Amino acid sequence: MSTVNIKIEGIPYQVENGLTILEAAKACGYEIPSLCAFNHGECNAASCRVCLVEATGARGLVASCVYPVAEGMEIKISSQKAVEARRRSVELLLSNHNKNCQQCDKNGQCELLHVANVTGARDDAFAGVHSETYLDTLAPGLVRDTSKCILCGRCIARCNNAHALGILGFENRGFKTFVSPAQNRSFAESPCIQCGQCVNVCPTGALMEHSEIGLVDAAFRAGKHVIVQAAPAVRAALGEEFGYPVGTPVTGKMIAALRRLGFERVYDVNFGADLTIMEEGTELLHRLTEGGTLPMITSCSPGWVNYAELQYGDLLPHLSTCKSPHQMQGAIIKSYWAKEKGIAPEDIFVVSVMPCIAKKYEEKREQEKVNNIPDVDAVITTRELARMIRKSGILFNRLPDEEWDQDIMGDYSGAGVIFGVTGGVMEAALRTVYFKLTGKEKEEIVFTEVRGHEAGIREASIDINGTTVNVAIASGMRSARVLLDEIRAGKSKYQFIEIMGCPGGCINGGGQPYVRSCFLPEEDDNILDTYKEKRAQALYSEDERQVIRQSHNNPQIIELYEKYLGEPNSHLAHELLHTSYAAREKFPEK
Amino acid sequence: MGAFQGLKRALSMDRQAVIDEVLASGLRGRGGAGFPTGRKWQFAYGSQSDTKYVVCNGDEGDPGAFMDRSILEGNPLAVIEGMMIAGYAIGAQNGYFYVRAEYPIAVNRLRKAIAQAREVGLLGENILGTDFSFDCHLRLGAGAFVCGEETALLNSLEGKRGMPRPRPPFPAVKGLWGQPTIINNVETLACVPYILREGAGEFASVGTERSKGTKVFALGGKVNNVGLVEVPMGTTLRELIYDIGGGIPNGKKFKAIQTGGPSGGCLTEEFLDEPIDFDNLVAKGSMMGSGGAIVMDEDNCMVDVAKFYMEFICDESCGKCTPCRIGTKRMLEILTKITEGKGTMHDLEELEELSDTVKTNSLCALGQTSANPINSTIAHFKDEYIAHIVDKKCPAHVCKSLMEYHIDPDKCIGCGKCAKGCPANCIERSDYTAPGHKLASMKINTQECLKCGNCISSCKFNAIEKR
Ligand SMILES: Cc1cc2nc3c(=O)[nH]c(=O)nc-3n(C[C@H](O)[C@H](O)[C@H](O)COP(=O)(O)O)c2cc1C
Ligand code: SF4
Ligand code: SF4
Ligand code: SF4
């Protein structure tokens, strides 16, 4: 690593060569306010003009987010000229911004408000008319409110990097510019997969999850039996909302909080994950031994399912017919559990806490209903849960650690836990398939070949009793499409593929806490590179702590089949736990 | 094709020698900034890459400018030849012409010229028996002003939205599709064959110390002879306006000349004897730009002029960066307020703060220079701004909200022609008959007047005036 000598405010430092001024300053302990710059050049438009500083060797001020450091460079962050310029860029943004901060769900995590504070922006400077704005609330997953948009372009970059989809772009020009899907369509009328990756990076309240907190409140008011189930990835990230270091699992406190919010039962979706493995593992074995459509592809990520229906309608037979874990568990709650408790399914309201916003779309699908009753009634994200907790006055950090409700569906295996990270479903399924094919447990439980925490493709060949199973894993549609195109071309060598919508899997889902280095002074400079790994680690360590680590060894799962479902893939299992898919128009008639 | 003598000579020299020749000629870019062409080539020459590009900027977006069009229509081969020499010098294999689609004749002639050059083997492999291979391609621009900015142009060529890119990296290092690229204006490239054919000294024999050769101007506005003129660098503004332009029509008084289009500034009477060259115009608060030159007389309101250019910029801002996207709108809002008589002295201060902000904070030169018309009109005509703000008067009687039409009762013979053409029906007969007239004079109800000006042009007795 070559280094260069620079000075910041006259103080000498040695920094890595090739860094931008912004990155170098961070390494030296300075946070230069910035908005459009994101994640080491993931978005490097240099368009917000907030991060301006003085640097020797440049004419005028430079955008520190793109300007590289050089030997001998002297940087002034706090010169009057730079301070004034930064403040004025922010003031101009504010002059065209819908400043109803009190009603904005982003308040507290809004980077615009943050830089406004830091730069000392005057509230009424440069007042004038606002651009025409648009509000899109049609999609179940996410809401776009251009009155809050500062046109930083981070969402556009993220959608492209994650999926090569290019859903979002700039429309019009000059003062009339706004960000939207093509032709100012709704997300719901475009090939958006409602993954929420763009929401994760939006600095303001312009892109937000479509909140369902109101639905939950209404269910409580209506006196329903409100049951909550939380997905594995939530516990690995919720703590970040309350100041815990990234990667701190907060399972016990989360359960305690859910109880205090008034939920009648607090269940872990891991039970549903174990159930999914039983069904999906059996389905895979069937396909392998009876000549079904191969490779079989996992179906528990609704962002991915959306993508398949919109872009690869011809490959839908490759998808496992299994519902996703929380949908399965919802169906079981409204059938088996309801029967055991003597409660009518109509009186039950199932809330899923998810790291995901595509689940909000999934939950409303016609194919996710049994006897016209939806399996799940509301999906709230990790972020929405944090908001509910704060709103209720619960001091999260002071909560005791509590346990899941144990009745009927309280047990879970470590296999279910790792669903939350890319490769996890594959690993969980392999543990069970191995057992089914060999009649014994694999000694080395961990399938390291399939582990990871980033986007991109991983593959492995697993030898099970002389049968080689070729598997591949992809997360983010940019990598998934490589595997899909191989299948389309008849060149796929795999039998089983796991695909997750979000890069890195659910730990990096579109409903997870925002990771913003400006709000995380305690974390390392590279937190935007390392948070996925840290969250993944939280899940792997929970797997290791479990006594039962294979889905088929979960006693309550065994009991569920014995008492109710019969065999995996039985007729009743199909009715409750399996679903179907249909190709969709990318740009339906409005 | 004897015209290709310059190329022939270039190909007989080594690449560095060609660049040295262009350096020695003192040629500076005609597209706006006046950057020394040889230095630009030197940078690209020094960038290591097997693939390089030459791009010819024929976007010509300045309102009222058509120098590049006339060159492309009249002598496309010279531009092709210039591009080839540039390509040879920097080690490029391909060149792109980016020409606005609104120039169909230029586009056609260029297309034909490229095809002809290919036919006779002047473009293609092993040109003129050397190991130099080069081909030209033509791309049409949709006519956005900002697409003339070189990095926006590159994005547009790559099929992306025409928005500027931050620099560094400069195009000479990372340009078209990430490869070293030079971007030169049409007129710049058209100068190159001459330099190589006749020698740097010949080219440099015309012009001033630091601006060599000739420059084409699109002379317009209040001059008797409007149109394209080619003058040696160093010609004075007075020569341009009076000797070539034939002076101001109708015996009106010269007020200012705007050079450099919407990015430039206005120069007043006191600068008339200044020689025109790149540095001198900048030193005097304007710029040469691509050669737009609009003359204004006493009937032009300078606040209105500033507003006109700001309207243009506001429409043409690509919207990428904050200061230009929002700042130009805010400046336009204030200028509009002032021309409507609703401005305050505080607005004037805010205007100055805004123009400073947009200048220092913007990403590309469109924004950075957008306040120049405001700055120069405030510098030279602050009294006009103050007249609008404090006295609520437009001294040139241009701003409609601040002027009235008035009929001089002693000149009016009462024919009533004006009343017939008045769309607002607000002209009626008064009860005053001037001595010697048979009919009572007409008068305008200023409350209802639309200020359309119909009456003034219909009156044969010059009885109607603005005030
Ligand atoms: C907003 C804007 C518009 C421009 N339009 C043009 C144009 O129409 N033609 C042109 O040659 N240069 C234009 N330029 C200048 C180019 O960016 C670039 O400097 C020029 O093409 C370089 O060529 P030259 O060195 O031969 O002048 C424009 C610059 C800006 C900032
Ligand atoms: S939700 Fe996902 S697919 Fe849709 S625009 Fe955002 S990033 Fe792109
Ligand atoms: S929606 Fe959000 S991320 Fe996208 S451009 Fe606007 S402010 Fe930036
Ligand atoms: S200065 Fe104007 S034209 Fe240039 S990048 Fe910014 S918004 Fe676009």
Side-chain angles (χ1 to χ4, degrees), chain A residues 132-136 144-147 172 176 178-180 184:
Chain A
E132 190 176 348
T133 59
Y134 306 93
L135 180 65
D136 169 20
R144 176 174 58 102
D145 177 357
T146 66
S147 75
N172 281 348
K176 299 190 185 106
F178 61 94
V179 159
S180 82
N184 200 11

Side-chain angles (χ1 to χ4, degrees), chain B residues 170-202:
Chain B
F170 288 91
V173 178
K174 252 180 127 181
L176 193 59
W177 292 299
Q179 302 300 335
T181 302
I182 53 169
I183 296 122
N184 273 129
N185 168 258
V186 169
E187 197 182 331
T188 313
L189 288 179
C191 292
V192 170
Y194 180 85
I195 293 169
L196 268 293
R197 192 172 67 234
E198 308 293 331
E202 190 59 32

Side-chain angles (χ1 to χ4, degrees), chain B residues 29-32 40 57 59-61 145 148-150 183-185 188 365-366:
Chain B
R30 285 357 190 194
K40 190 182 275 191
N57 189 342
D59 191 56
E60 192 156 70
F145 179 55
E149 195 281 335
E150 56 186 24
I183 296 122
N184 273 129
N185 168 258
T188 313
L366 186 149

Side-chain angles (χ1 to χ4, degrees), chain B residues 6-218:
Chain B
L7 176 68
K8 230 175 239 169
R9 175 153 175 261
L11 292 181
S12 72
M13 300 158 64
D14 78 29
R15 298 171 191 279
Q16 184 60 52
V18 175
I19 296 176
D20 289 341
E21 186 87 36
V22 175
L23 274 170
S25 75
L27 175 64
R28 294 172 66 173
R30 285 357 190 194
F35 192 83
T37 306
R39 263 176 57 206
K40 190 182 275 191
W41 294 13
Q42 189 73 61
F43 286 136
Y45 174 80
S47 291
Q48 298 307 320
S49 174
D50 293 339
T51 312
K52 296 184 187 178
Y53 297 101
V54 181
V55 172
C56 173
N57 189 342
D59 191 56
E60 192 156 70
D62 275 15
F66 50 105
M67 298 70 71
D68 295 346
R69 188 184 79 189
S70 83
I71 294 171
L72 288 173
E73 288 177 0
N75 196 358
L77 281 173
V79 192
I80 294 173
E81 187 185 354
M83 178 183 265
M84 293 173 74
I85 295 170
Y88 173 71
I90 68 160
Q93 304 78 22
N94 282 286
Y96 284 86
F97 283 96
Y98 187 88
V99 182
R100 57 170 40 220
E102 289 97 324
Y103 286 176
I105 299 174
V107 165
N108 258 334
R109 296 204 176 145
L110 188 57
R111 185 173 285 141
K112 272 198 198 123
I114 293 174
Q116 270 172 14
R118 275 198 198 122
E119 243 162 61
V120 302
L122 274 167
L123 283 172
E125 303 286 314
N126 301 92
I127 293 163
L128 298 174
T130 66
D131 59 5
F132 174 58
S133 303
F134 192 83
D135 202 3
C136 291
H137 315 271
L138 177 59
R139 295 285 179 274
L140 304 192
F145 179 55
V146 72
C147 284
E149 195 281 335
E150 56 186 24
T151 58
L153 188 153
L154 292 178
N155 272 350
S156 178
L157 273 180
E158 290 178 13
K160 300 181 188 144
R161 215 175 131 88
M163 282 179 157
R165 308 172 180 174
R167 285 171 299 190
F170 288 91
V173 178
K174 252 180 127 181
L176 193 59
W177 292 299
Q179 302 300 335
T181 302
I182 53 169
I183 296 122
N184 273 129
N185 168 258
V186 169
E187 197 182 331
T188 313
L189 288 179
C191 292
V192 170
Y194 180 85
I195 293 169
L196 268 293
R197 192 172 67 234
E198 308 293 331
E202 190 59 32
F203 182 83
S205 67
V206 176
T208 64
E209 174 70 28
R210 300 196 52 226
S211 301
K212 301 298 183 191
T214 60
K215 172 80 192 100
V216 183
F217 283 91

